[in-house]
Amino acid sequence: MKKIISIVFLGLLMFSFTKKEDSYTEINQDSKFTESIKRGKEVYTDMCISCHMANGEGLPKVYPPLAKSDYLMEKREASISAIKYGLKGKIVVNGITYKNMMSRLGLLDDEVADVMNYITNSWGNKNSKMITIEEVKAVSKK
C-alpha cells in the first residue's frame, strides 16, 4: 500500500513540474488585425470588386484605384467616410481627378473597419495601424 501511495505521489509531483500547454489560442493585436483583413477581403469581394476590380486598380477616369492610392493612405478619415456614407464630388487620386458618385454601401461599422484594413494592406498598400470599429464609429458624415 505504501508503494502505491509513493508511486501516486511521485506521479503527481512530476506532473506538477511539467510544462502545461495552454488550451486556448492567444489573441493579440496581430491576430485580430489578420482576422480583420481576412473578413475585409470577403466584404471587398461582395461590395467593392465590381467598381474597383480584383486588382484594386479601378477603371481609369471612372472609378479610382485603391492599389497604391495616395488618397486612401493619406486621407484615412475621408476614406472611412466614403465607405460608410458614400461619396459625392471631386477627389484627386494619384494626380487624377474623379467626379463619379459612390453610393452608400450600407455596411456596418465593423464591416467598414474590416474592408479598410483589407484595402490598406493590399495591392502595394501597407498600413501597420489597425482601423478599429471605434475609429469608424467616430467618423461622422460631413
Side-chain angles (χ1 to χ4, degrees):
M1 184 69 162
K2 283 187 178 183
K3 214 180 222 186
I4 293 174
I5 293 174
S6 296
I7 292 171
V8 169
F9 177 74
L10 283 174
L12 290 174
L13 187 62
M14 285 177 41
F15 179 73
S16 68
F17 288 109
T18 60
K19 183 179 177 186
K20 295 179 184 176
E21 292 296 321
D22 293 326
S23 61
Y24 61 91
T25 303
E26 182 178 342
I27 296 178
N28 57 33
Q29 180 70 18
D30 292 336
S31 63
K32 286 182 180 180
F33 199 11
T34 301
E35 289 302 313
S36 176
I37 291 169
K38 285 180 188 175
R39 290 188 306 269
K41 183 176 184 177
E42 291 177 24
V43 173
Y44 184 84
T45 300
D46 290 344
M47 305 298 290
C48 312
I49 203 167
S50 60
C51 295
H52 296 286
M53 305 291 114
N55 58 9
E57 292 180 4
L59 291 174
K61 298 189 181 186
V62 179
Y63 300 115
L66 302 174
K68 299 177 186 171
S69 168
D70 60 351
Y71 185 91
L72 176 66
M73 300 308 291
E74 294 169 11
K75 298 184 182 217
R76 184 174 170 120
E77 187 175 330
S79 296
I80 291 169
S81 179
I83 295 170
K84 188 173 178 177
Y85 300 110
L87 180 66
K88 185 178 180 181
K90 288 195 270 186
I91 62 168
V92 178
V93 181
N94 299 341
I96 299 171
T97 301
Y98 294 86
K99 298 179 206 170
N100 229 347
M101 185 178 132
M102 178 176 157
S103 297
R104 184 174 189 272
L105 301 173
L107 298 174
L108 301 173
D109 289 340
D110 63 325
E111 294 170 316
V112 173
D114 290 342
V115 78
M116 277 292 295
N117 284 320
Y118 173 68
I119 64 178
T120 59
N121 285 286
S122 299
W123 317 296
N125 299 324
K126 182 64 184 145
N127 174 30
S128 59
K129 186 178 178 223
M130 181 177 173
I131 294 146
T132 64
I133 297 168
E134 292 74 26
E135 183 178 358
V136 172
K137 284 180 182 179
V139 173
S140 58
K141 190 174 184 177
K142 293 181 182 182

